[in-house]
Amino acid sequence: MPRARRHLLWPLLALLAGCGRCGETADPEALLPVRLSGREGYATPAGEIRLDFAWDEARRFAEGLAVVGTGPVETRRYGAIDAAGRVVIPLVHPELGDFREGRARFRSDTPAGPRYGFLDAEGRVAIAARFQSAGDFSEGLAAASEGEPGRRGYIDPRGEFAIELPRLPDFSGEFHGGLAVVVFNPLDHRVIDRKGRERFASSQRLGARVAENCIESYSNARDRYRYVRPDGREAFPGEFAYARAFSGGRALVKPADAALFGFIDPTGALVVPARLRQAGDFDAHPTPLAPALPEDAARWGYIDAAGGLAIAPRFVWAGPFRGDWAPVETEIGPNYVSREGRLLWEPERRAPADWERNRLATLAGRPLLRLDLAAARGATAADADSVAVLDAGALLGISAGAEAALATARLRPGGEFLLEGENRRLLFALAPGSAPPPADAFRGEGLVPGWRVSLVEDDPFLAAAPAAAADSLRLAGADRALLGALLLAHRELPPRKVLALYRALPSRLVDLGGGQLRRYPLLLDAARLPAAEIAEALGPLPLQDDSGAWRLLALSGEYASETRFETLGALREGRRPFRRGGRWGYLDAAGREQSPPRWAWAEAFSEGLAAVSPDSQRIGFIDPAGTLVIAPLYRGVDAFHEGRCMAVVDSLGGYIDRRGNWVVTPRFAWSGAFAEGLAPASLDGRAVGFIDSTGTFAIAPRFQYAGEFREGLAPVTEGGRVGFVDRRGRLVIPCRYEEGMAFSEGLAAVQVEGLIGYVDRAGQARIAPRYAAGTPFAHGVALVIEDERLLIIDAAGRALWRSAP
């Protein structure tokens, strides 16, 4: 895989994801999270509701505290409560991990990307958020990295590096029994001890952790697993078609000659016969249990260490035990099962509590008027300021009773129109005496004739274009801005967040996906947009379906095809890497197979070339036709930029050209991509400068960090602050910002006192710092977060679109 380097862009909607400890806390298992009607609370092991349904997300207790979250998934904020329901950590964090060994990992968002730190059990910052990546504590150590260049390895509970690694790893595992697995690239897996000493190095893929003095190892050449000791010696004879780490004294395997799964003990003996379609891990209880889907059952149950049925198969899904309880999924929703097979609670016997009615009233901002659908024809609207709550079926239809209520009470969708939960509630503003608005005033699917499932809304993109311009030009400018927003979403957001943004943007977007505007007589190409960017912005999205397979979802919301993949990569230059049957190939922008799966792994295209490996040991490059044009000779590579690509041999980086010839010999501990003829590089991994195309330092190494040049300027870090240098190395914008990104369309995002704004090339503030996060500009727009809402802004800071609050 390519050697990792620090990205200046950040996944924006990852953002949209001190009170002292009061009193004594109960046993962590004294309360368990339960869910009712889309909200979560806590129940005792007897099934009694102890903490009401006040959260959108509630986790199990760990070390006396439970992490809870409120708000939509994309803007959710997390904190922690004690067993009495008191807030110990305010719900202000976009990400918060469970407590492990007295520390909980939290995230702070900056212009350069997310930064991680740790809170103590009192909610105080124990370790400042300075790490580009961080894991949980295990055996007194946690994996952490300050990025490239920067320190990386494992920190102690004070935040000091106890182990420093020679370069940035792809993966740093947790410590178990004094050992951890570190992966530097697909060809370099290592087992280290708590002093950082190497116990074993392997070019084969190793598992994530050492357990029972064993670790699974996978051979690409043989397509088989085996178990080895931490020193590399064979643990016991035998190869498997699948193998997992030991847990509770057992490891799940699929024997080489079997079609089903079983379990082995630490000697390699198959103690649970291969008669399971699927199974989870055993827990560490004296009488361990494991979730299993037997060959002859249609539901999940639990087996004991000998393979005997401990809890009968009756669950849609079953998870591993933690303590005395395991999470399960029943036909009516999530639940917990005890070791004796007893369910925690029976939500179908509980009527929705008053909290749900009160929550709807809070959302609507006015009193609720409930309409009895059975007597809907007699319903009247006595109070014009109230809101009717109608029990409805699905989004695309409405019951006859609700339709009669609409006709009788003259309900009109307005600013208080809400769709609550999973299409369970429809809220309408009451407007006695008024007629329904024209059908074309609404977008979306019809509920009843002349009605639509959405609000009346203006077209902000069109409205923001210059009023004096011809309509066609205004529309072209608006579509260009919309395309910029979609490009940023594709490049910055996870696929499901991109899909959420697609669905929230104006309905005109669906017409754009078809190649022309139905609402306005203008073809998309009239805006003179690059064909590759149109394909990327409007192309199908890679999403996982319920089975865990990856599929391509078209903009219309329908799957582009029935084809399923093990993995899908990013669409670049009209090609998308995919994996099927353990090998990689390429699809075109529409999802059609262009190159059959033949590589051990493959990356996205850049400047007409893509990195591939035939054996996970050597890396080369192919052209769009799938022809190997640069021989696989390298242990790590980046992508091509300006005809050059960083490549690694013997842990040092240099640069090759499009023929695979060295143009800059390998000697750098860290180096970035070329941009505008210069690339950031460091000889010692600490001081960073800029090299030219010959490898000569054009700007001497003196910075803590340096980004890529854009529009004649590059961000650099001195004294922990960010400024910008020109191509001569002169500091033209002083190092006064907390973070800073590269310039794009004349503006650069910078952070001041924790907020994001934009400055011009002279360092003058053009958009005041007021956002929680922001992206670079593309086609005249940027994505930003303000007051936990996603905005699309133009270069003047005007909001062209806002997400729902």
Side-chain angles (χ1 to χ4, degrees):
M1 294 178 66
R3 185 172 58 155
R5 60 187 179 88
R6 179 177 176 179
H7 291 281
L8 296 178
L9 311 182
W10 63 90
L12 181 68
L13 282 196
L15 300 166
L16 296 179
C19 170
R21 183 77 69 88
C22 304
E24 296 295 322
T25 57
D27 185 309
E29 293 299 314
L31 295 175
L32 291 163
V34 292
R35 187 175 186 86
L36 176 65
S37 300
R39 300 283 280 177
E40 298 192 357
Y42 286 87
T44 67
E48 175 189 354
I49 301 301
R50 180 61 54 83
L51 301 180
D52 211 349
F53 299 86
W55 301 283
D56 293 298
E57 181 179 341
R59 301 185 204 154
R60 293 179 74 168
F61 277 84
E63 301 185 2
L65 295 175
V67 174
V68 294
T70 60
V73 174
E74 62 271 14
T75 59
R76 187 161 297 169
R77 298 292 169 171
Y78 296 91
I81 61 171
D82 63 16
R86 292 182 287 256
V87 175
V88 177
I89 300 175
L91 280 71
V92 297
H93 300 285
E95 184 178 328
L96 182 63
D98 295 332
F99 272 89
R100 295 272 300 272
E101 302 182 0
R103 295 287 185 267
R105 179 169 51 92
F106 75 95
R107 193 183 86 213
S108 177
D109 296 308
T110 75
R115 293 293 182 266
Y116 294 89
F118 292 85
L119 303 177
D120 65 16
E122 306 296 329
R124 299 183 295 249
V125 175
I127 302 173
R130 71 177 193 270
F131 302 106
Q132 201 167 14
S133 64
D136 292 323
F137 273 90
S138 177
E139 299 184 1
L141 297 174
S145 168
E146 293 176 341
E148 281 279 32
R151 304 174 75 186
R152 54 267 172 174
Y154 289 83
I155 58 173
D156 63 21
R158 299 171 301 169
E160 302 291 336
F161 275 96
I163 299 173
E164 286 203 52
L165 298 175
R167 60 186 184 278
L168 187 67
D170 289 344
F171 169 79
S172 298
E174 296 181 356
F175 274 91
H176 294 272
L179 300 173
V181 176
V182 176
V183 180
F184 289 106
N185 60 56
L187 316 177
D188 190 353
H189 292 62
R190 303 184 187 185
V191 176
I192 63 172
D193 62 19
R194 286 177 48 83
K195 293 186 179 295
R197 295 173 299 198
E198 181 183 309
R199 293 292 189 88
F200 171 49
S202 174
S203 61
Q204 305 294 336
R205 191 174 76 203
L206 297 179
R209 62 187 175 91
V210 178
E212 301 288 353
N213 202 35
C214 292
I215 185 169
E216 67 272 27
S217 174
Y218 173 75
S219 169
N220 278 301
R222 295 178 56 79
D223 193 21
R224 286 290 184 269
Y225 291 82
R226 63 189 182 100
Y227 287 88
V228 297
R229 301 297 182 194
D231 60 5
R233 293 180 296 112
E234 185 180 70
F236 43 77
E239 292 186 331
F240 305 92
Y242 175 82
R244 201 154 65 198
F246 277 90
S247 177
R250 299 287 185 266
L252 183 70
V253 298
K254 179 186 287 186
D257 57 350
L260 300 174
F261 295 91
F263 284 88
I264 60 172
D265 66 13
T267 70
L270 191 67
V271 293
V272 176
R275 298 172 183 170
L276 306 172
R277 287 193 282 161
Q278 295 183 52
D281 288 333
F282 279 93
D283 65 296
H285 195 271
T287 56
L289 300 177
L293 182 63
E295 178 183 14
D296 56 354
R299 290 287 188 268
W300 285 75
Y302 289 84
I303 59 174
D304 59 26
L309 199 59
I311 300 176
R314 66 179 191 274
F315 307 113
V316 176
W317 171 86
F321 270 91
R322 197 185 92 183
D324 293 329
W325 297 90
V328 294
E329 186 77 24
T330 69
E331 285 82 356
I332 60 172
N335 212 317
Y336 289 88
V337 67
S338 70
R339 291 184 177 274
E340 297 76 32
R342 177 177 64 87
L343 287 178
L344 176 68
W345 75 320
E346 299 175 354
E348 75 278 7
R349 296 184 183 178
R350 303 169 187 268
D354 289 339
W355 63 264
E356 185 178 57
R357 179 185 177 96
N358 294 334
R359 177 168 178 264
L360 292 176
T362 301
L363 288 172
R366 57 186 62 186
L368 297 181
L369 172 66
R370 288 190 175 273
L371 296 183
D372 182 0
L373 294 185
R377 292 188 181 278
T380 60
D383 187 354
D385 291 328
S386 64
V387 173
V389 182
L390 305 179
D391 291 312
L395 176 63
L396 301 183
I398 193 167
S399 67
E403 182 176 350
L406 289 171
T408 302
R410 292 192 176 93
L411 303 180
R412 179 176 63 84
E416 294 78 24
F417 174 87
L418 295 174
L419 184 64
E420 183 63 18
E422 297 178 355
N423 305 332
R424 298 179 304 102
R425 298 285 190 269
L426 294 175
L427 274 65
F428 294 85
L430 293 179
S434 62
D440 60 1
F442 296 87
R443 64 176 174 86
E445 297 293 335
L447 284 175
V448 294
W451 293 69
R452 304 292 179 187
V453 184
S454 187
L455 304 175
V456 177
E457 65 176 340
D458 296 326
D459 189 334
F461 291 94
L462 187 58
D471 285 346
S472 60
L473 294 179
R474 292 178 63 208
L475 190 57
D479 290 335
R480 191 176 185 88
L482 183 56
L483 182 80
L486 296 177
L487 279 171
L488 290 171
H490 263 287
R491 295 170 182 174
E492 303 288 338
L493 310 182
R496 290 194 180 276
K497 299 299 188 297
V498 180
L499 183 62
L501 180 60
Y502 277 177
R503 290 173 174 168
L505 285 172
S507 59
R508 203 158 44 81
L509 179 61
V510 176
D511 302 319
L512 285 175
Q516 67 180 26
L517 303 172
R518 184 181 61 210
R519 184 172 174 185
Y520 305 103
L522 181 71
L523 294 178
L524 182 61
D525 60 9
R528 298 181 180 177
L529 303 174
E533 291 194 345
I534 294 174
E536 180 184 342
L538 302 179
L541 301 173
L543 293 171
Q544 279 186 297
D545 62 19
D546 294 338
S547 71
W550 285 83
R551 299 177 67 184
L552 287 171
L553 193 73
L555 194 61
S556 64
E558 300 176 351
Y559 285 114
S561 72
E562 295 299 319
T563 307
R564 289 172 167 81
F565 306 94
E566 295 168 7
T567 310
L568 286 169
L571 176 65
R572 295 290 185 270
E573 300 184 3
R575 294 288 187 273
R576 184 193 303 277
F578 74 92
R579 187 177 70 181
R580 188 173 61 224
R583 309 295 283 181
W584 288 80
Y586 287 88
L587 308 173
D588 65 12
R592 297 180 292 261
E593 185 175 309
Q594 295 296 299
S595 299
R598 52 183 288 219
W599 306 106
W601 63 261
E603 293 289 339
F605 273 86
S606 176
E607 296 189 359
L609 297 174
V612 297
S613 174
D615 53 11
S616 292
Q617 300 185 25
R618 303 161 298 145
I619 302 170
F621 287 84
I622 61 171
D623 63 16
T627 303
L628 194 65
V629 294
I630 298 179
L633 302 172
Y634 314 103
R635 292 179 63 87
V637 300
D638 202 341
F640 271 90
H641 296 276
E642 299 187 351
R644 282 163 170 69
C645 174
M646 186 281 299
V648 176
V649 291
D650 297 328
S651 299
L652 293 177
Y655 293 85
I656 58 174
D657 63 16
R658 293 175 56 83
R659 295 184 178 181
N661 299 319
W662 289 107
V663 292
V664 177
T665 55
R667 66 178 185 276
F668 301 106
W670 176 85
S671 53
F674 271 92
E676 300 183 0
L678 298 176
S682 173
L683 293 170
D684 58 7
R686 298 193 180 276
V688 183
F690 290 87
I691 60 172
D692 61 21
S693 58
T694 69
T696 303
F697 275 99
I699 300 175
R702 69 177 191 271
F703 307 110
Q704 293 172 295
Y705 173 75
E708 298 170 358
F709 270 91
R710 290 288 184 266
E711 301 180 1
L713 298 176
V716 296
T717 302
E718 285 185 322
R721 292 281 173 166
V722 177
F724 293 83
V725 296
D726 63 15
R727 292 176 54 82
R728 296 184 180 181
R730 297 177 300 187
L731 199 62
V732 297
I733 300 178
C735 292
R736 59 192 180 207
Y737 306 109
E738 296 158 12
E739 296 285 354
M741 296 174 62
F743 274 86
S744 175
E745 301 186 0
L747 297 173
V750 295
Q751 179 173 294
V752 179
E753 297 182 354
L755 296 176
I756 308 303
Y758 292 83
V759 298
D760 62 19
R761 289 170 45 81
Q764 298 298 312
R766 293 301 180 188
I767 301 176
R770 61 177 182 268
Y771 305 115
T775 70
F777 273 83
H779 294 301
V781 298
L783 302 179
V784 297
I785 295 292
E786 184 178 32
D787 297 329
E788 298 188 355
R789 297 176 68 181
L790 174 65
L791 281 70
I792 299 173
I793 62 170
D794 64 12
R798 295 177 298 182
L800 305 184
W801 174 84
R802 297 174 185 267
S803 66

